[in-house]
Amino acid sequence: AQSVTQLGSHVSVSEGALVLLRCNYSSSVPPYLFWYVQYPNQGLQLLLKYTTGATLVKGINGFEAEFKKSETSFHLTKPSAHMSDAAEYFCAVSGSRGSTLGRLYFGRGTQLTVWP
Amino acid sequence: DTAVSQTPKYLVTQMGNDKSIKCEQNLGHDTMYWYKQDSKKFLKIMFSYNNKELIINETVPNRFSPKSPDKAHLNLHINSLELGDSAVYFCASSPGTSGAPTYNEQFFGPGTRLTVL
């Protein structure tokens, strides 16, 4: 079975500060991992994904995440926050084979607030 | 040229009514999904169709019935609406469901906010 835990339902940072959003996963098979962003009253937009290969993945808007198998983590970071980064961020996991394919399991989201 | 579109964007209705939400994707994808996002923003998969065939059916009440007339469309019909059905419903699509990693990236529609009074 797959599941995701996002530590911290709310994170606040100052503009220009480091953004760190935490995600830990559980998966019975090698996982595919995703970060999505949701702006108010909008759908989800894919920020980045890890499937295979390099464990440090870069996404849009300057975000990156590192897959750490030993820690079952996939934390999202951005060196310098911008006001436009304020949104809800979701970490998601799916399995990489069999019946686990295509089933995205989401964490409960982290609301990022950026202060001027 | 919206990739995944849903209609309507907002839906307000009375308990006991029957309503439908439509979804269309123009990405040429084979697989489509319905997700429910509750008031606490928790997202949960409901259904998935691959090339018009139902492949995922989570523990969803029988009042919810998806229909896929072709692989570009996935509609959601809800009978006898209840207060607890109030949520945002998202449609998504992906290229497919094979083991190839690129097949699993899901693209989401803008959502339909359903309010049951």
Side-chain angles (χ1 to χ4, degrees):
Chain A
Q2 282 71 40
S3 68
V4 169
T5 301
Q6 290 184 240
L7 293 175
S9 57
H10 289 86
V11 170
S12 295
V13 300
S14 299
E15 194 171 20
L18 171 72
V19 175
L20 171 61
L21 305 183
R22 298 178 187 274
C23 171
N24 287 88
Y25 71 90
S26 170
S27 180
S28 53
V29 299
Y32 291 156
L33 293 158
F34 306 83
W35 275 100
Y36 284 86
V37 60
Q38 185 179 26
Y39 297 101
N41 298 315
Q42 294 188 26
L44 280 76
Q45 180 182 7
L46 182 68
L47 273 179
L48 48 78
K49 64 181 185 284
Y50 169 79
T51 52
T52 58
T55 56
L56 181 63
V57 292
K58 295 185 186 299
I60 62 172
N61 302 338
F63 284 93
E64 61 182 39
E66 186 171 10
F67 169 59
K68 292 188 176 180
K69 184 178 177 181
S70 61
E71 298 177 9
T72 60
S73 69
F74 190 58
H75 301 331
L76 181 71
T77 61
K78 181 174 180 177
S80 177
H82 192 272
M83 296 292 288
S84 60
D85 294 328
E88 189 89 22
Y89 291 81
F90 293 93
C91 182
V93 63
S94 76
S96 54
R97 55 179 181 249
S99 64
T100 67
L101 279 169
R103 293 173 185 265
L104 267 184
Y105 293 92
F106 285 87
R108 290 194 171 267
T110 298
Q111 177 69 47
L112 176 65
T113 300
V114 182
W115 300 103
Chain B
D1 58 345
T2 305
V4 182
S5 59
Q6 295 179 228
T7 53
K9 189 168 174 63
Y10 299 96
L11 185 53
V12 181
T13 188
Q14 300 285 335
M15 274 177 50
N17 285 350
D18 303 338
K19 290 293 178 187
S20 291
I21 306 171
K22 296 187 176 182
C23 177
E24 176 181 2
Q25 55 94 4
N26 62 7
L27 297 167
H29 289 169
D30 283 343
T31 309
M32 297 184 72
Y33 310 80
W34 278 111
Y35 288 86
K36 179 180 180 181
Q37 186 176 45
D38 64 22
S39 59
K40 296 185 178 178
K41 297 196 175 179
F42 182 55
L43 276 151
K44 188 170 169 27
I45 190 168
M46 301 172 69
F47 302 102
S48 176
Y49 271 73
N50 185 57
N51 214 353
K52 300 194 296 176
E53 180 183 346
L54 181 66
I55 57 171
I56 295 175
N57 186 349
E58 293 291 287
T59 50
V60 177
N62 291 339
R63 299 182 294 102
F64 290 79
S65 54
K67 283 189 171 51
S68 182
D70 56 61
K71 73 175 191 178
H73 295 84
L74 179 61
N75 304 322
L76 183 65
H77 188 75
I78 315 170
N79 289 326
S80 303
L81 278 155
E82 301 177 357
L83 293 177
D85 298 331
S86 294
V88 181
Y89 292 84
F90 286 101
C91 177
S93 72
S94 68
T97 56
S98 82
T102 54
Y103 273 46
N104 288 270
E105 180 176 335
Q106 296 185 22
F107 295 80
F108 283 76
T112 295
R113 183 176 294 277
L114 171 64
T115 302
V116 182
L117 304 175

